[in-house]
Amino acid sequence: MDISASLLAGLLIALLAIFTVIRAVRIVPQARARNVERLGRYHKTLTPGLNLVIPYIDRVHPQIDLREQVVSFKPQPVITEDNLVVEIDTVLYFQVTDPRAAFYEIASFLQAVEQLTVTTLRNVVGSMDLEKTLTSRDTINSQLRGVLDEATGKWGLRVNRVEIKAIDPPQSIKEAMQKQMRAERDKRAAILGAEGQRQSQILTAEGDKQAAVLRAEGNRTAAILEAEGQSRAIDEVFQAIHRNDPDPKLLAYQYLQALPQLAQGQGNNFWVIPSEITTALQGVSKAFSESLPPSPATRAKPTADDAAAAKAADDTAEAAQAAAEAVADAAEADRRPRGL
């Protein structure tokens, strides 16, 4: 009996020793920390690796994660400055920098951060209207981060970032915003269409203007060239006439050739013959009627051919005289009053 009692006692002592060694050795993972209390008071913080504590005297608290943590809070109703209720989702990025403060300065730092975020968010958004709230996310994020970082510093926390995940206005406001956006798009489309049409009309007008200018310049150049051509033609004719020195007989003959052309028109019921034409015709008649002065060559006895030529010349002179008289009578009749 004594042997069995001694063996049992030794076994119990061995088990107690093993249990004591196990409780004395604490292994802390990387990026973790554990606070140690000795006789109810804070003693130290266990760092990552192998740590020794006094069993039954030191109390080791649960691990505290030292890595950056992400917490997404549920949507919170917030009233804007224009009395509209919007629901805002926030995401918080924070990290425990002091395990002792995070454990002893506040009971639950996650709950405290959530409530502080909601309160700060309501204060910040409450000073903005809906439109500014929807377009000022960066401003809201920076203000939230400043307030939270200052307030959570004594808790051993560091707030790295605060992001607004979503801002949900009421359904009626969403419908109104959609109508407003649709109206804005229609307005921009109408403005762009009007601008395009105006630009098209401007370009068309400029094209027409340039075309008209080019046509006018072309017509002007053509008119100048035509006038220069006519001027050169008249000058050439005038120079040719003066170089050849025409006599009145030639001019009278040209008058006779131009007379039939004056009466060719269908609407010419009568035409006026200038007095210069009658004078010219008389000159022609006189020119044909005058004979050459006698010369030794012409004193010979005329032959049959000479007689025929003389007779033809006389007939031509008589015809010219008759034409001159007819023209003179027509001119005289034209100068008389119609009632006589």
Side-chain angles (χ1 to χ4, degrees), residues 9-320:
L11 183 60
L12 291 176
I13 292 171
L15 292 176
L16 181 60
I18 294 173
F19 182 75
T20 302
V21 171
I22 292 174
R23 289 182 59 88
V25 177
R26 299 298 173 93
I27 298 175
V28 179
Q30 182 66 34
R32 306 291 195 278
R34 302 185 71 174
N35 294 318
V36 178
E37 293 181 355
R38 180 168 292 177
L39 299 177
R41 297 183 61 182
Y42 172 77
H43 176 62
K44 65 177 181 178
T45 299
L46 300 182
T47 59
L50 181 63
N51 297 273
L52 297 175
V53 297
I54 300 176
Y56 312 112
I57 297 177
D58 294 339
R59 180 184 177 187
V60 181
H61 290 281
Q63 295 180 3
I64 298 177
D65 198 340
L66 301 180
R67 295 173 297 179
E68 185 174 5
Q69 302 181 43
V70 181
V71 180
S72 177
F73 303 124
K74 62 181 181 180
Q76 299 293 331
V78 180
I79 301 176
T80 60
E81 187 180 12
D82 47 357
N83 296 325
L84 293 176
V85 179
V86 295
E87 292 186 351
I88 301 178
D89 294 349
T90 55
V91 179
L92 182 66
Y93 298 82
F94 71 95
Q95 185 177 8
V96 177
T97 57
D98 188 357
R100 176 185 176 279
F103 187 78
Y104 291 102
E105 295 295 335
I106 192 167
S108 176
F109 58 83
L110 286 178
Q111 185 179 1
V113 168
E114 180 181 2
Q115 296 301 321
L116 183 60
T117 301
V118 172
T119 305
T120 307
L121 186 62
R122 288 175 179 174
N123 292 334
V124 173
V125 177
S127 60
M128 301 179 180
D129 55 7
L130 179 60
E131 184 176 359
K132 189 175 181 181
T133 301
L134 295 175
T135 57
S136 303
R137 292 195 177 189
D138 293 337
T139 303
I140 297 174
N141 293 338
S142 61
Q143 293 184 8
L144 283 175
R145 182 181 179 280
V147 174
L148 291 174
D149 196 15
E150 181 180 358
T152 57
K154 62 180 181 179
W155 299 339
L157 305 177
R158 183 180 65 218
V159 178
N160 297 326
R161 296 180 62 185
V162 179
E163 295 290 340
I164 295 178
K165 186 167 59 175
I167 300 177
D168 296 328
Q171 187 63 30
S172 59
I173 301 299
K174 289 183 180 179
E175 295 176 356
M177 291 173 63
Q178 290 177 357
K179 293 180 181 179
Q180 182 180 3
M181 293 174 61
R182 192 179 302 113
E184 288 292 335
R185 287 194 296 269
D186 295 340
K187 176 183 176 181
R188 287 195 295 269
I191 292 174
L192 291 177
E195 287 290 338
Q197 185 177 2
R198 184 175 72 89
Q199 191 69 20
S200 175
Q201 292 177 356
I202 290 174
L203 294 177
T204 302
E206 290 181 353
D208 294 341
K209 176 183 176 182
Q210 293 179 1
V213 171
L214 293 176
R215 284 195 298 269
E217 291 179 354
N219 295 334
R220 183 187 66 178
T221 304
I224 291 174
L225 294 176
E226 184 178 0
E228 290 179 354
Q230 292 178 359
S231 175
R232 292 181 181 178
I234 293 173
D235 185 68
E236 291 292 334
V237 172
F238 186 76
Q239 294 294 334
I241 291 174
H242 280 275
R243 283 196 304 269
N244 296 325
D245 192 15
D247 56 358
K249 298 176 182 180
L250 178 61
L251 297 178
Y253 183 71
Q254 293 294 330
Y255 278 139
L256 288 175
Q257 288 183 345
L259 285 177
Q261 297 179 1
L262 296 176
Q264 288 180 0
Q266 296 180 359
N268 293 335
N269 296 326
F270 69 95
W271 43 281
V272 179
I273 301 176
S275 60
E276 290 80 1
I277 297 180
T278 59
T279 305
L281 291 175
Q282 291 176 2
V284 172
S285 174
K286 184 177 179 180
F288 281 105
S289 62
E290 290 181 353
S291 60
L292 295 174
S295 62
T298 59
R299 290 176 185 175
K301 185 177 180 179
T303 60
D305 295 335
D306 294 337
K311 187 176 183 303
D314 293 339
D315 294 339
T316 302
E318 291 178 359

